[in-house]
């Protein structure tokens, strides 16, 4: 047993290409780690050992033939149960979808395979991928491997928990309102929400999504190093004509000035002292690396967050009410009721006004990010919250939704955001969120690499 599961994706791929390790050996290690670590955290809820070993053997065979096995050669990864993967149910955490077995891969799954990744399992999500904890009536409750008293985040809480616990070097997640960035924060790993159209995605098993989700929902990676986020993005972003939003933008953009905007309290957010210090420490690190860092307000997030919720709920109100009743998941019922309470149903004029206003907010952000190519802001105003806190009461839900304003406000503009874990020394992970202009994930990754801390594998239980 080599314990190759402790390695980063970049290290694994390099060892396999050099034949220091075989992909089959790495897959065997990864499956053993899954078996050992998963019972305590319930991060992976669909298993595929035979398929994983077959994929690993195919990588070894390609290398033996002298072929390029891809940027993720033999790297163990997980996928989220809300994306189609041929032969597995796209449950989205729902009993009513437990038999919705995909007949074809989502483009993001196809791209992971083409890059040489070895998929070892599929990760949990709350029912309907609806909120910032990870529990449902079909697959059960996912725990945070770094501290079970804390939420693992959601909706990609299974992905975040798996990566943190060494179950796969890379986790696939989705993000419409923080569902990659918050689990990365809570579990003490890194997570990238790419620009809309950067990573092709589409579920052949399901109906087309409404315009709100088309503008805001993305797939992205979670990993234990920024180098791994980079290589995962390269793999996930390969072209696929099945997603009409996919954009052939280069992964490396033109030169940019090393200037960053630091905003500790976006629009009056009640940022706690420990989070403030993490943000200021990030600013100092960039300054030490030669960047210019200015503390300044950033463009609006509160009104974009309100419009984001309006557009997202417009989709949910049309197609999810019947499913909510049929599924009758207590967590989803409560969370959806709170969202509806805080966001009255729009008429057609209000819906059109929201789409019209979006252009103005994106323009403001685009102009700001020309002046400051990176914005440093909180992931949330507080450290990761106690598990299930947002389900305690309407007041608790309001506190949580207020704390994660920087998560919910960003997707309306379809901008990329990166959670960077910067400190694992305390009782809860700490980190910052970086934001850049459209298709400038390269800027986020350059800045993130200067801020990241060494991420150790968590030992659940």
């Amino acid at each position: 047993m080599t314990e190759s599961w402790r390695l980063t994706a970049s290290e694994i791929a390099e060892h396999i290409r050099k034949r220091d390790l075989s992909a089959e050996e790495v897959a065997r290690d990864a499956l053993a780690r899954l078996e050992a670590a998963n019972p305590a955290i319930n991060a992976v809820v669909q298993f595929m050992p035979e398929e994983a070993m077959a994929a690993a053997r195919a990588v070894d065979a390609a290398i033996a033939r002298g072929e390029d096995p891809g940027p993720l050669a033999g790297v163990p990864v997980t996928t989220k149960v809300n994306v189609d993967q041929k032969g597995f149910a796209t449950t989205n955490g729902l009993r009513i979808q437990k038999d919705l077995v995909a007949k074809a891969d989502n483009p993001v799954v196809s791209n992971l395979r083409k890059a040489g990744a070895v998929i070892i399992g599929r990760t949990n999500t709350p029912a309907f991928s609806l909120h910032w904890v990870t529990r449902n009536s079909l697959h059960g409750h996912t725990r945070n491997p770094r501290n079970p008293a804390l939420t693992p985040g959601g909706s990609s809480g299974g992905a975040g928990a798996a990566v943190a616990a060494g179950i796969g070097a890379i986790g696939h997640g989705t993000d419409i309102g923080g569902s990659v960035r918050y689990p990365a924060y809570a579990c003490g790993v890194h997570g990238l929400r790419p620009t809309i159209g950067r990573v092709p995605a589409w579920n052949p098993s399901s109906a087309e999504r409404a315009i709100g989700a088309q503008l805001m929902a993305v797939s992205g990676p979670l990993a234990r190093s920024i180098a791994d986020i980079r290589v995962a993005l390269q793999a996930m972003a390969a072209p696929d004509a099945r997603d009409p939003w996919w954009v052939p933008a280069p992964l490396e953009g033109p030169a940019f000035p090393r200037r960053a905007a630091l905003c500790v309290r976006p629009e009056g957010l009640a940022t706690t002292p420990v989070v403030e210090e993490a943000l200021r420490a990030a600013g100092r690190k960039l300054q030490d690396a030669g960047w210019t860092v200015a503390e300044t307000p950033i463009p609006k997030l509160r009104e974009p967050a309100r419009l984001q919720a309006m557009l997202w709920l417009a989709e949910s109100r049309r197609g999810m009410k019947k499913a909510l009743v049929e599924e009758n998941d207590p967590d989803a019922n409560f969370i959806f009721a709170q969202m509806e309470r805080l966001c009255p149903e729009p008429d057609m004029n209000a819906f059109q006004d929201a789409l019209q206003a979006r252009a103005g907010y994106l323009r403001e952000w685009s102009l700001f990010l020309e002046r400051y190519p990176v914005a440093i802001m909180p992931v949330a105003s507080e450290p990761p919250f106690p598990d299930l806190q947002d389900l305690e009461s309407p007041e608790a839900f309001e506190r949580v939704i207020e704390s994660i304003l920087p998560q919910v406000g960003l997707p309306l503009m379809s901008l990329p955001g990166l959670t960077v874990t910067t400190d694992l020394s305390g009782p809860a992970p700490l980190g910052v969120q970086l934001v850049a202009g459209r298709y400038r994930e390269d800027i986020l990754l350059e800045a993130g690499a200067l801020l990241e801390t060494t991420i150790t594998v968590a030992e659940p239980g």
Side-chain angles (χ1 to χ4, degrees), residues 307-327:
L307 298 180
Q308 188 263 19
M310 177 192 295
L311 292 171
W312 187 83
L313 285 173
E315 174 182 18
S316 302
R317 282 170 162 136
R318 289 179 70 200
M320 208 167 85
K321 282 286 185 71
K322 182 174 180 291
L324 267 168
V325 172
E326 191 177 349
E327 181 66 22

Side-chain angles (χ1 to χ4, degrees), residues 30-120:
L31 293 169
R33 178 59 178 175
L34 168 59
E35 185 178 340
N38 196 62
I41 58 174
N42 192 39
V44 174
V45 293
Q46 292 177 348
F47 304 86
M48 52 201 68
E50 296 86 0
E51 183 173 313
M53 293 307 298
R57 285 190 287 270
V59 169
D60 287 334
I63 292 173
R65 293 191 299 269
E67 298 171 2
D68 181 359
L72 294 178
V75 173
V77 306
T78 59
T79 56
K80 189 175 174 182
V81 291
N82 67 351
V83 296
D84 283 356
Q85 183 170 327
K86 185 177 180 179
F88 293 89
T90 310
T91 70
N92 203 16
L94 303 173
R95 290 168 292 186
I96 59 176
Q97 290 187 193
K98 66 181 177 63
D99 298 319
L100 183 63
V101 176
K103 297 178 180 177
D105 285 341
N106 186 298
V108 71
V109 176
S110 298
N111 280 345
L112 287 169
R113 293 192 201 274
K114 285 187 290 188
V118 172
I119 303 171
I120 61 170

Side-chain angles (χ1 to χ4, degrees), residues 143-186:
R143 302 287 187 173
N144 189 323
R146 298 208 185 273
N147 183 346
L150 301 176
T151 178
S155 63
S156 306
V163 166
I167 302 172
I170 292 167
H172 158 265
T174 61
D175 189 313
I176 194 173
S179 286
V180 163
R181 292 163 291 149
Y182 197 83
Y185 182 60

Side-chain angles (χ1 to χ4, degrees), residues 181-266:
R181 292 163 291 149
Y182 197 83
Y185 182 60
C187 292
V189 297
H190 311 303
L192 175 67
R193 171 199 160 79
T195 313
I196 196 76
R198 169 65 82 186
V199 173
W202 169 62
N203 275 344
S205 69
S206 304
E208 296 288 356
R209 301 200 71 177
I211 190 61
Q214 290 188 37
L215 289 170
M216 296 183 291
V218 299
S219 280
L222 298 92
R224 297 190 300 274
S225 76
I226 295 298
D228 285 3
I229 295 288
R230 184 184 293 275
V231 71
L233 177 66
Q234 176 191 349
M236 290 179 172
D240 193 308
R242 292 178 294 166
D243 185 351
W245 284 95
W246 182 78
V247 174
L251 287 167
E252 296 293 326
F256 63 94
R258 268 61 180 175
R259 287 197 299 265
L262 171 64
C263 186
V264 174
R265 294 178 180 82

